[in-house]
Amino acid sequence: MRHHVVRRLSCAVALATAVAGIHLTVTAGSAGAEDPPQVTFDLAYGPDPLQMLDVYPTSSPAPAVVLVHGGGWTGLDKAHLRTTAESLAADGFVVFNINYRLASALVSGYPMMTDDVAAAVAWVQQNGAGYGADTADINLVGGSAGGHLVALAGQLINTAAPATVRTVVSLSGPMDFVALNSLVLATPRGDIGRSGGYAYLGCLPSTCTQEQLEVPSPYYNIDPATCPAMMQIVSTIDMVPVAQATTMHDALAAVGCESIVTVPPGISHSFAMFPEHREAIGAFLRGEPPPIPDPLNSVGDLELTETAGADSHLLAVLDRPATEPVSVAYATRAVSASEGSDFVAQSGVISFEPGAVEARLPVQIVDDSIPESTETFMVELSDPLGADIGDGVAEVSILDDDSLPDPVAIDAVTPSSVGQGAAGRKITVTGARFSPETTVAVVGYGMTLSGLTILDPQTLTVVVKVTRAAPTGIRSLTVTTPGVGSATCDCLGVNPKPVPTMAGSSLGSGAIQRTVTVTGTGFTPGAVVRFPGLTGVSARTLYLSPDTLEVTVSVPPTAAAGAYNVQVTNRDGGTSVCIACFSVLAGPAPVSMTPFLVAGLTTAATITGSGFIDGATVTTPEGVTVADVIVVDATTITATLSVAPGTLPESGLAVTVTNPAEGGYGVGSCSCLTITG
């Protein structure tokens, strides 16, 4: 493991102790018969308006606790921890509850925020004795972002002045930004922007350098010569991964630093865990052995047959003999088994006499003659007296002793794969034991199922939708029929989406059956090209290779000039879009032709309009031939037109102008040709 040379704290820390401020004093809640201490609010420990602290004093020397709030490095303040400060003060500590400058999208938090914690510690060293603090016994307590700041500040302060900070308590504090950044980049959201921890670091997930991640990480700043004693508390389901605490603990222990890590079960974060661990935190801050916990009361799982009846029980156990009477409540809860028809609902209280480690908890099963799969119900412990609950939930499985039905089965899934971006592909599942109550589920990010239809007991269909960012590979599909069972197969794949990158040539409005080459990756036979937003376009796709499609395109004369998206969809429904990679050019728009033509004569004619390009051709009806076409400018074409003898007079005949390749083969017509007798 690498460790950084710890940088020196800024000179602002040393200067901070000389700054005075306006403050208020109020009476704290009474902890005894004597006059309660006076809490002093908003003392300045530095020149910035946010560099304020509240002091919860004692009348006799006591350990000092600098309390640091969380808030994602960008929010909250010390008022958030007022109840915690009062609790620590009631436990005999002099508490200094601090505010500090916050990070933002424009202001990086490192090293500013640990400088503020160090400045507050310096203020306590100089002024704390006046409030009853033992300035030789300074401790830091923080949660979440504050848990990170106290861990890092404790290291930096002690490197500059060894033994200044005796202990650090971090609740849900991040310890290793390198590991956290890797987790962020691995999520579908990826680069989440400069907020929270990234405002503190001053970089984005994708741009943070190794140094920017390591230098502010307590994990990379461990110094065995100066490390303060550390207690970490992080729940099993926390905003901060448990590995942040356990890896830090292992690294501290490996070099001989005093370290304790506690991982309580359940969902919790930061100072929400303080009340439950208040006694242990207080003992750690005082340098006392941790309190001895109550015995753990647990209950194990059980399997029973239907014929077990009322002659069964669960065994509740303590992890060590009770020293005083212990009791715990219990209650059953249905899962797949039903109250009344499968088991008898029960609740009550069981007791342990001193010295006992086991107690029986009755369960009662109801027998029936209906063939069923295994069913379960739960027995849950609650409201313990004289003990804590360890594994407080037991699963009771009822094993059917009647003839079991044939199981649910999956024989085949067709089609067996869909593409990234598929908007709604219907798949057919064949197997056995499907019913109107059957459900289908799939495992994995980016795929959802809808429109389940049970066609018969052996066949069902379901519509699959896949996001374009869904991971490719095989997914597990599970079919469940209540009362019968489930079947799972690794049988539904996600294929890579096609990725068009370029459409070869532009076409003019009115272009008829012109070839456009679309290039990219991931094309499969049967792929189809569309032009979203280009109304009335006709396109026929020919697959050439995984990276090339040839599209025969006709553009309506009314198409607006501009850039259009190109969408490629493979047969498996996989689809993606190339943004603005195909262009429609303004086509020719003839408006009039003069003069009238005379049967049997050759006439020099002029066609007027717009959008004409040099090299354009002119097409006329049968019996009229065109020669000597000259594009004078974008609005005028001259040509020699000859009308066959005997041609009948007629007006409103079509004259068509087709631009050359440079104009995208655009085509435009007007009914402007008149033949006289």
Side-chain angles (χ1 to χ4, degrees), residues 442-460:
V442 67
V443 175
Y445 162 78
M447 179 182 285
T448 56
L449 304 179
S450 63
L452 172 63
T453 303
I454 307 299
L455 301 179
D456 56 51
Q458 294 79 39
T459 312
L460 63 84

Side-chain angles (χ1 to χ4, degrees), residues 593 618-622 624 650-657 668-674:
M593 188 184 81
V618 176
T619 305
T620 55
E622 184 178 357
V624 179
E650 189 174 355
S651 62
L653 297 174
V655 174
T656 301
V657 177
S669 298
C670 66
S671 299
C672 54
L673 189 154
T674 299

